[in-house]
Amino acid sequence: MPARIYRQLHEAIIEGRLGPGERLPPTRELAASLAVSRNTVAVAYERLTAEGFLVGKVGAGTFVCANPPADPARPDRPGGEIPVRPLWRLLTDEPSPPPPARYDFQLGVPDAHRFPMAAWRRLIARELRDVGVRASSYVDPAGHAGLRAAIARHIWLSRSVRADTADVVVTQGAQQALDLVGRVLVEPGACVAVEEPGYPPVRALFTSLGATVTGVPVDGEGLVVSAIPRAASLVYVTPSHQFPLGTAMSLDRRTALLAWAHEHGAVLVEDDYDSEFRFSDRPLEPLHSLDRGRRVIYVGSFAKTMLPMLRLGFLVVPPSLRTAVRTAKRLTDRQGDVITQGAMAAFLTEGLFARHLRRSTREYAARHERITAVLCRDFADRLAVVPSSAGLHLAAHLREPVDVDALVRRAAEAGVVVEDLAAYHGDGPGEPGLALGFGAIELDRIEPGLRRLAACWP
C-alpha cells in the first residue's frame, strides 16, 4: 500500500496535478480518507521527501518542492504526434470571440438583455418537474414531438413553409443541420456550390466531408444561377437575407434557381437563418414554398431569435430523406436536450415566442434605421451601404481604397468591434468593405460608436 500511495503522489507531481508549493493533506487526514494506517501514508511521504519531491515545514505541513526533480522516465520533450488527415491541417479553428467591447458591432449576436429570462426559467422548471419516467429513456432522435409540431405550425404561419411534424428534425443549431445534410448527401469528391461571399463555416464543413466546394458570385438579385457549376450536386443559399451582404434573392432568380436544380437533379439547401426580423417589405416566399419537385431542404435556427447558447435549430426534409436524416441524427448524437426542447415547444405554443419576436423586431428595426441613417450621413464619401431590410447586420463597400485590416485593428483598440467583409470571401479578396452587426449594441450607443469608428479612418 505505501508503494501505491507513493506512485500516485509521484505521478501527480510529475504531471503537474500537484503544483510546486502546493500543500498536501496531513498524514492523519489522508490515511482516514484512504482507510489505511497513518504509518502507511507517512512512509510514502518520507520516501518522496528523501527523493526531493516533498518538503516538510514544522508547524505548517508537507508541501511539494518549489523545483521538484525531473522524472528520467518522462523526458522533457513532446511525445510522438498522432497523424490526422491532411485536410484537418488546413481547416484551422475559428478565433475566439472578441472580448466585450463598449461599441460592439459584431455579426450574428442577438441582444441577450431582451431575452425573456423569467418566462424561460419558468418553462424550464416546469419541464424538469414533469420529466418523470422520460429521464431514464432515450427519445426520438428527430427531437421532441411537441417542438417539431410547433415548428411546423410556426414556419407555416410565418413563412408559408408547408411541413408535417414528420418532416421536421430538431438539431443542435443550424450547423448540425447542415452537417446532417452533408453526411447524407455529399460523396467525397462531389461538387458543392456555395455563395461568394458567404458563411465560412458552411464552406469548411462541406470541405471537411470531402466535397469540392466552389464559390458562386452574388449580385443585387442574389446568387448568379448561370455561374453555378454544372457538376454541382448541392447548392447552399441564403435567399431571404444573403449572408453577409444582406440582399434578398429576387423572385425571378428564385424561379431560375429552382429550374436549374430540377434540370440538373441537384439539391438546394435553403438557410433561412434570420428571416423573422424584417423591417419594411413583406418577404418573398421561401424557395421551399415555391418548390414543386421537393428538391429543397429548409434549414432554420433559433440562435438569432432566442439565444445561441440554447443550440436549437431544425431541418425540414422531403419524405425521401426522412429515414436517412433521422438515422444520421441518431448516429451522431442520439438525441438533443429534451428539457430545452420541451421548454421551446411551450414557448411557441403559448404565444410567448410571437410576443418576444414582435418586441425584438421593433427594437432591431430602430437600430437598423439608426445605423443606416448615420452611415449614409457621416460615411457617404467612404462607404456605400448595401440595401437591406432584414436581419441583424448590414454590409458596406468601400468607396476609396483603405487598409481594412488596419482599420479594424485601430477600431478594436478604440473599443469598437467591426468586421472586415473580406473575411467572408473564400475564393479571393472580393470587393472590400465592412460588415456591421446591430444585435449586440444598444440604440443609444450606435451613433457614438460610429463616430469613434470614423475617427479611426486613415
Side-chain angles (χ1 to χ4, degrees):
M1 180 58 76
R4 184 183 302 173
I5 297 172
Y6 163 83
R7 285 195 305 271
Q8 291 176 349
L9 291 173
H10 180 267
E11 288 182 5
I13 295 170
I14 291 296
E15 294 172 0
R17 288 182 281 119
L18 285 174
E22 189 168 343
R23 185 177 184 272
L24 271 66
T27 54
R28 188 186 304 277
E29 181 181 319
L30 183 58
S33 66
L34 296 177
V36 298
S37 70
R38 182 182 180 187
N39 187 58
T40 298
V41 176
V43 168
Y45 277 26
E46 289 169 2
R47 181 177 174 186
L48 288 165
T49 301
E51 293 176 357
F53 291 98
L54 300 180
V55 59
K57 298 180 181 179
V58 177
T62 304
F63 298 81
V64 178
C65 285
N67 294 294
D71 185 352
R74 298 176 182 268
D76 188 19
R77 59 183 175 81
E81 290 189 4
I82 299 175
V84 299
R85 291 169 53 203
L87 169 69
W88 289 99
R89 298 187 186 278
L90 302 175
L91 295 174
T92 56
D93 193 15
E94 65 180 31
S96 300
R102 183 171 177 80
Y103 305 103
D104 190 350
F105 293 98
Q106 65 174 307
L107 274 61
V109 181
D111 189 344
H113 296 100
R114 306 200 67 78
F115 184 73
M117 190 60 72
W120 185 254
R121 188 182 297 113
R122 173 176 59 81
L123 294 175
I124 289 288
R126 188 170 73 189
E127 285 297 312
L128 288 170
R129 285 196 306 270
D130 298 343
V131 66
V133 70
R134 289 179 296 154
S136 60
S137 61
Y138 290 108
V139 299
D140 191 333
H144 187 287
L147 178 55
R148 291 161 61 210
I151 288 172
R153 182 175 184 274
H154 165 68
I155 59 179
W156 163 240
L157 293 175
S158 65
R159 302 292 288 129
S160 300
V161 172
R162 292 183 177 274
D164 295 329
T165 300
D167 299 326
V168 178
V169 177
V170 181
T171 62
Q172 305 274 11
Q175 195 69 11
Q176 188 190 41
L178 296 168
D179 180 68
L180 292 174
V181 171
R183 288 172 181 271
V184 168
L185 295 179
V186 176
E187 296 276 4
C191 179
V192 172
V194 300
E195 295 168 323
E196 175 67 12
Y199 188 48
V202 169
R203 178 185 285 266
L205 172 63
F206 289 127
T207 300
S208 75
L209 295 173
T212 300
V213 181
T214 302
V216 179
V218 175
D219 63 15
E221 293 190 68
L223 188 79
V224 179
V225 175
S226 60
I228 302 174
R230 293 180 60 85
S233 59
L234 186 148
V235 182
Y236 169 84
V237 288
T238 54
S240 297
H241 184 231
Q242 200 279 330
F243 188 90
L245 297 181
T247 53
M249 184 181 289
S250 68
L251 181 58
D252 286 345
R253 194 65 63 82
R254 292 172 190 236
T255 303
L257 179 58
L258 286 167
W260 185 95
H262 294 311
E263 179 183 350
H264 293 83
V267 174
L268 303 179
V269 179
E270 177 179 20
D271 189 347
D272 216 13
Y273 68 99
D274 65 359
S275 62
E276 290 89 349
F277 299 126
R278 296 202 69 84
F279 314 127
S280 58
D281 56 322
R282 179 176 173 80
L284 294 168
E285 283 191 286
L287 288 172
H288 190 280
S289 301
L290 299 171
D291 180 30
R292 295 296 177 265
R294 295 186 169 179
R295 310 297 304 178
V296 177
I297 299 173
Y298 185 86
V299 177
S301 169
F302 294 103
K304 308 296 185 295
T305 52
M306 297 288 282
L307 290 175
M309 65 177 287
L310 299 181
R311 305 310 303 142
L312 284 172
F314 60 91
L315 277 170
V316 177
V317 297
S320 59
L321 294 179
R322 283 179 188 169
T323 300
V325 171
R326 288 168 62 94
T327 302
K329 180 67 166 58
R330 177 173 56 82
L331 293 176
T332 52
D333 75 347
R334 189 55 182 84
Q335 69 179 53
D337 179 352
V338 293
I339 301 299
T340 301
Q341 291 182 18
M344 188 67 209
F347 200 74
L348 283 162
T349 57
E350 294 177 15
L352 299 172
F353 181 77
R355 187 186 311 163
H356 167 62
L357 198 59
R358 287 193 298 270
R359 292 173 176 171
S360 298
T361 300
R362 285 196 297 269
E363 174 62 26
Y364 292 141
R367 297 183 193 184
H368 175 270
E369 182 180 358
R370 179 73 55 84
I371 193 172
T372 303
V374 174
L375 287 175
C376 291
R377 183 191 69 202
D378 298 343
F379 291 77
D381 59 338
R382 308 175 194 182
L383 294 171
V385 177
V386 179
S388 172
S389 59
L392 295 179
H393 76 273
L394 51 78
H397 294 301
L398 292 175
R399 294 192 184 277
E400 299 291 341
V402 169
D403 185 342
V404 180
D405 187 54
L407 173 62
V408 170
R409 285 199 307 271
R410 284 195 297 272
E413 292 168 359
V416 182
V417 174
V418 294
E419 298 191 29
D420 185 350
L421 198 56
Y424 298 97
H425 288 269
D427 293 334
E431 191 172 355
L434 294 176
L436 301 96
F438 48 85
I441 186 167
E442 294 288 344
L443 181 65
D444 60 0
R445 289 183 180 270
I446 288 176
E447 189 162 357
L450 292 178
R451 280 202 304 270
R452 191 169 292 199
L453 173 63
C456 297
W457 220 270

